[in-house]
Amino acid sequence: MPQEETRGEIDALLDAGSDEELVTRKALQLIRASEAANKDFYERAARYQMLYSGNHWEGVSWDDQRSRPVVNLTQAFCENSLAALCDNRPTYFVQPRHTQDLTVAALAADLELGLQWIWNDQKLDIKVRKVIKTAIIAGPGFLKPIFIPSAMS
C-alpha cells in the first residue's frame, strides 16, 4: 500500500540523527500529533455521514414483513440549512483609509475586483458549499490536512 510506504518514510525521517533535519522532524511530529487528535473526530464524522445518508441501520436485522419506521429527516434538514446558508455569494467592499488620496481609493477598488476574481477563479461557490455541508453534517471541527509530499503523485 502506498500509505504504508509513506509511513515508513516518515518513520525514517523521525529517526534521522542529524541536526539539519530538525525542522523536518518537528513538523512530522506535529503531523502525527494532529493525526492522533483528529482520530476521534474522523470516527464521529463517519457515523454522522452514515446518519445523513440513511445507512445508520447497518447491522440491524429486520423481518421481511416489517417495515422500517424511519424517515430520513436528517438529510432534508441538512440540505435546507445548506440552501439557506449558501444562497448568496459574498459582496466585497474595501474601505480606503485616506479617502482624499485618489491612488489609495483606486487601489481599494482594484482590491475589490481582485477579491471577486479570486472567488470566481478558484470556484469558491462550489468549495464553500462543500465545506459548509461537511460542517453541517460532521460538526464545526477543523479537518487538519496531512501533508505527505510523496502521496501527491
Side-chain angles (χ1 to χ4, degrees):
M1 274 193 134
Q3 191 172 9
E4 291 175 7
E5 293 171 9
T6 309
R7 293 247 181 249
E9 293 171 14
I10 291 175
D11 290 336
L13 283 171
L14 285 174
D15 294 337
S18 71
D19 289 336
E20 297 168 355
E21 297 174 346
L22 179 65
V23 173
T24 305
R25 282 184 281 155
K26 290 290 184 187
L28 291 172
Q29 287 171 351
L30 289 172
I31 288 171
R32 286 270 170 88
S34 71
E35 255 183 341
N38 278 339
K39 184 179 179 186
D40 182 50
F41 174 76
Y42 287 128
E43 289 172 358
R44 281 186 287 124
R47 285 196 314 268
Y48 296 152
Q49 181 63 39
M50 287 179 64
L51 177 66
Y52 170 80
S53 302
N55 297 330
H56 56 286
W57 291 104
E58 286 185 11
V60 177
S61 61
W62 293 88
D63 293 338
D64 289 337
Q65 293 86 16
R66 221 172 131 192
S67 65
R68 291 187 184 191
V70 176
V71 176
N72 189 4
L73 297 176
T74 307
Q75 186 174 17
F77 171 77
C78 291
E79 292 299 322
N80 286 338
S81 300
L82 182 66
L85 291 171
C86 297
D87 221 6
N88 299 318
R89 66 181 353 195
T91 57
Y92 305 100
F93 178 71
V94 179
Q95 177 74 37
R97 288 186 175 202
H98 307 288
T99 55
Q100 289 80 17
D101 190 358
L102 294 178
T103 58
V104 174
L107 184 63
D110 289 343
L111 187 56
E112 280 184 30
L113 291 174
L115 289 171
Q116 290 174 2
W117 181 83
I118 289 171
W119 184 273
N120 291 331
D121 183 62
Q122 294 298 313
K123 298 177 178 63
L124 291 178
D125 286 324
I126 298 168
K127 292 177 183 175
V128 167
R129 189 173 180 84
K130 288 181 180 179
V131 168
I132 291 176
K133 183 175 184 176
T134 303
I136 290 171
I137 294 170
F142 289 96
L143 299 173
K144 298 179 184 93
I146 299 171
F147 179 72
I148 303 172
S150 61
M152 297 174 108
S153 57

